[in-house]
Amino acid sequence: MQKELRLSGSGGQGVITAAIIFAEAATACGMNVAQSQSYGPEARGGASHSEVIVSDAAIYHPHVERPGLVLAMTQAAADKYAGDLDPDTGILIVDSALVPNVPHAAHIVSVPITTLAIEQLGKALFANIVALGAITRIAGLVPLSAVEAAVQNRVPPHTVEQNMQALMLGYEAAAESKV
């Protein structure tokens, strides 16, 4: 089994951090993982994406070519990366507030990621962890408990409680969405 994921948005949304946390959780579960990232010249606001490959065998090519799952946190990210999805089984997760024109995909999951972060936690800062919760449920690759442990190890100690709430918001929101 090898699964390829691409998390995308704009700089400052935390897609790279979310990918790192997901990769750490998969590694803790004994899986082989390759994680990479790319962002535009602007640290905040420029294009940003991160890729994660999770496998139970050796990973010989650490570049995602045909992701099975793409997270798009902005319209530009959806437009740029949704076309790479596997046409038969690919899952596109979009932030419903920031991606009004959803590209075609075999399976589309629309979650109000940023809206949940703002309304429930008071800050868009937690949107990446809300997205991580949705990815955890939808991908079904890593147990929620492993992602919780990875979040706790990665985020600043004074934000652990809010990040745990964000993770559960996304996890629960994804349950309400059809794949």
Side-chain angles (χ1 to χ4, degrees):
M1 169 280 306
Q2 179 167 306
K3 300 292 184 182
E4 300 181 350
L5 296 82
R6 181 175 293 139
L7 286 61
S8 61
S10 64
Q13 286 185 304
V15 295
I16 292 172
T17 300
I20 290 168
I21 292 169
F22 191 82
E24 288 176 353
T27 300
C29 291
M31 299 174 186
N32 294 316
V33 178
Q35 188 274 323
S36 63
Q37 62 240 0
S38 174
Y39 44 89
E42 305 88 5
R44 292 202 174 267
S48 173
H49 78 274
S50 188
E51 299 175 339
V52 181
I53 300 172
V54 177
S55 179
D56 56 5
I59 300 170
Y60 295 106
H61 183 65
H63 177 70
V64 170
E65 293 179 354
R66 181 68 77 193
L69 184 147
V70 170
L71 166 71
M73 297 279 290
T74 64
Q75 185 67 55
D79 295 342
K80 186 171 183 176
Y81 298 114
D84 291 342
L85 273 167
D86 182 299
D88 299 320
T89 61
I91 301 169
L92 175 61
I93 302 172
V94 297
D95 186 329
S96 59
L98 301 177
V99 183
N101 301 311
V102 180
H104 175 74
H107 304 283
I108 298 169
V109 179
S110 184
V111 178
I113 295 167
T114 303
T115 301
L116 284 170
I118 293 169
E119 290 179 356
Q120 300 295 318
L121 299 165
K123 294 182 182 178
L125 173 74
F126 297 104
N128 65 328
I129 305 300
V130 173
L132 181 60
I135 291 166
T136 300
R137 178 172 293 255
I138 293 163
L141 297 171
V142 180
L144 178 61
S145 59
V147 179
E148 288 173 329
V151 168
Q152 289 175 6
N153 289 331
R154 176 60 63 170
V155 302
H158 69 280
T159 68
V160 168
E161 184 177 327
Q162 288 174 303
N163 277 288
M164 290 296 106
Q165 290 173 356
L167 187 66
M168 288 311 300
L169 282 171
Y171 194 80
E172 291 168 5
E176 298 169 9
S177 302
K178 302 272 190 228
V179 176

